[in-house]
Amino acid sequence: MKKTADIKKIACGGMILAAGVLLPQVFHLLGGAQAGGMFLPMHFPVIIGGFFLGPVYGLLLGVLTPVLSFLLTGMPPAAKLAFMVLELATYGGACGLFHRKMNLHLSLVLAMLAGRAVYALSLFVAGNLLHLNVPAVGAVTAAVVTGLPGITLQLILIPALEPLLRRASGLFGAPAQ
């Protein structure tokens, strides 16, 4: 039985990974490059993966999704790749971890805060320790302001979609452990 559950998780993780690469392409096709920063389409699959598959798969999806997207499409840009990997890995892992202990809404908000905090910290480290010209505070502020439509959609759509996806898929029971 455990083997079947693992196979289902791997298959689901593969579908979520594919969605994480394809969804940003759709947004960029319809709205240009700025649509990605505004609606955060890569975040949705990673966050949902964390909720459905747990912290380990969520973290792996957060690492693999931007890396695979970069290798296949060139997006995110190389200069942003490492920062997005850290941010998305935090989102995926934190969603899975927090959802074990608390409701979906609180888990989502805390994971979003954790992801942005890791993003800010990584920019700060790159700027100060590596002496790169990275304005951490300005970059995080700009990312949050630009991403407000996506953040708002995440807060509305993910809680609405989560129970529907659980029921429709038949793959998932209670939140992943």
Side-chain angles (χ1 to χ4, degrees):
M1 193 67 156
K2 172 107 170 82
K3 227 175 212 182
T4 303
D6 290 342
I7 291 169
K8 286 181 180 181
K9 277 184 148 183
I10 291 168
C12 183
M15 290 187 294
I16 291 170
L17 180 60
V21 173
L22 294 174
L23 194 58
Q25 295 305 307
V26 171
F27 274 79
H28 290 169
L29 182 68
L30 298 175
Q34 66 274 17
M38 184 181 286
F39 293 106
L40 310 171
M42 195 177 289
H43 294 63
F44 280 88
V46 170
I47 290 169
I48 289 171
F51 282 131
F52 275 120
L53 303 174
V56 174
Y57 279 84
L59 185 132
L60 288 172
L61 284 166
V63 170
L64 294 174
T65 302
V67 170
L68 185 61
S69 180
F70 172 76
L71 292 173
L72 294 174
T73 70
M75 293 187 295
K80 292 184 177 184
L81 181 61
F83 303 112
M84 281 193 68
V85 165
L86 293 170
E87 179 184 25
L88 290 174
T90 302
Y91 285 144
C95 281
L97 189 64
F98 294 150
H99 196 38
R100 288 179 170 177
K101 303 288 184 199
M102 55 194 74
N103 72 47
L104 184 123
H105 294 88
L106 185 56
S107 302
L108 179 58
V109 169
L110 290 176
M112 292 168 90
L113 291 171
R116 288 298 175 174
V118 166
Y119 179 66
L121 182 62
S122 66
L123 289 171
F124 177 79
V125 168
N128 291 308
L129 295 181
L130 302 175
H131 303 293
L132 299 175
N133 186 17
V134 180
V137 174
V140 172
T141 302
V144 169
V145 170
T146 302
L148 278 176
I151 292 167
T152 303
L153 284 174
Q154 288 170 11
L155 291 170
I156 294 169
L157 291 178
I158 291 173
L161 288 174
E162 194 260 354
L164 296 173
L165 290 171
R166 247 182 231 295
R167 273 184 293 204
S169 69
L171 287 174
F172 312 105
Q177 298 298 316

